[in-house]
């Protein structure tokens, strides 16, 4: 068994869609980034890559590459699964925490789990997604950013 950790944070800005776990949430601001800035999926990808002893997300999907501009992170997640498969790993489970002051994440968690489980070819029960606020503290509390922490457990095939 191999464990990995992932973390990501993106700024909230006007004029961008808010995409989390492949779900578009209604919000006055969205996350800024080269891709769709899906902070949940980026955290998960780094946890998976780390557990496999691979390099970080920026190594495989550099934000200087036009090919990844505004790309759906679901596609990047599927590519990450290919990297795991190539290295003979399979996913045991994932767990994640989204840290966001708004909007309310809870109503969308089932849909996020479905998107992630479809992309990673695992069951929704193998994925934990939780959400918490930052109690008004710091840049996340001031609604300037959304962050995600994730852990992943892999086993050798
Ligand atoms: Mg990111």
């Amino acid at each position: 068994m191999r464990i990995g950790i992932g973390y990501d944070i993106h700024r909230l800005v006007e004029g961008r869609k808010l995409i989390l776990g492949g779900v578009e949430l209604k919000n006055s601001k969205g996350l800024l980034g080269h891709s769709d800035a899906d902070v949940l999926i980026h955290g998960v990808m780094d946890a998976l890559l780390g557990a496999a002893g691979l390099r970080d997300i920026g190594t495989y999907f550099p934000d200087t590459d036009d090919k990844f501009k505004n790309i759906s992170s679901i596609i990047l997640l599927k590519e990450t699964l290919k990297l795991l498969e190539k290295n003979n790993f399979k996913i045991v489970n994932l767990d994640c925490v989204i840290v966001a002051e708004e909007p309310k994440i809870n109503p969308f968690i089932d849909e996020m789990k479905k998107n992630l489980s479809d992309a990673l070819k695992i069951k929704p029960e193998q994925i934990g997604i939780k959400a918490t606020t930052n109690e008004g503290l710091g840049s996340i509390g001031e609604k300037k950013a959304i962050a995600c922490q994730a852990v992943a457990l892999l086993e050798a095939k």
Side-chain angles (χ1 to χ4, degrees), residues 37-144:
D38 191 324
V39 72
L40 169 62
I41 291 184
H42 295 181
V44 165
M45 287 169 65
D46 257 352
L48 292 168
L49 292 167
L54 296 170
R55 300 284 302 274
D56 62 35
I57 178 174
T59 306
Y60 303 102
F61 313 103
D63 63 6
T64 49
D65 192 333
D66 269 356
K67 158 170 92 178
F68 303 123
K69 192 159 170 55
N70 292 322
I71 196 171
S72 164
S73 293
I74 290 281
I75 294 170
L76 306 181
L77 187 61
K78 289 178 180 169
E79 290 300 314
T80 303
L81 177 64
K82 285 185 196 163
L83 284 169
L84 299 183
E85 286 171 341
K86 207 161 84 184
N87 286 275
N88 294 314
F89 286 111
K90 76 181 242 209
I91 300 166
V92 178
N93 75 308
L94 296 173
D95 194 18
C96 338
V97 187
I98 301 165
V99 190
E101 213 63 23
E102 64 175 23
K104 281 257 171 284
I105 309 285
N106 250 324
F108 304 98
I109 285 183
D110 282 342
E111 200 179 341
M112 292 176 189
K113 284 173 73 163
K114 166 107 177 53
N115 288 345
L116 266 59
S117 64
D118 285 349
L120 293 171
K121 301 178 189 167
I122 55 177
K123 297 182 191 134
E125 297 79 33
Q126 287 169 277
I127 302 174
I129 301 177
K130 290 101 62 201
T132 186
T133 70
N134 218 33
E135 292 287 332
L137 296 165
S139 55
I140 294 171
E142 290 163 9
K143 302 169 190 170
K144 291 178 183 163

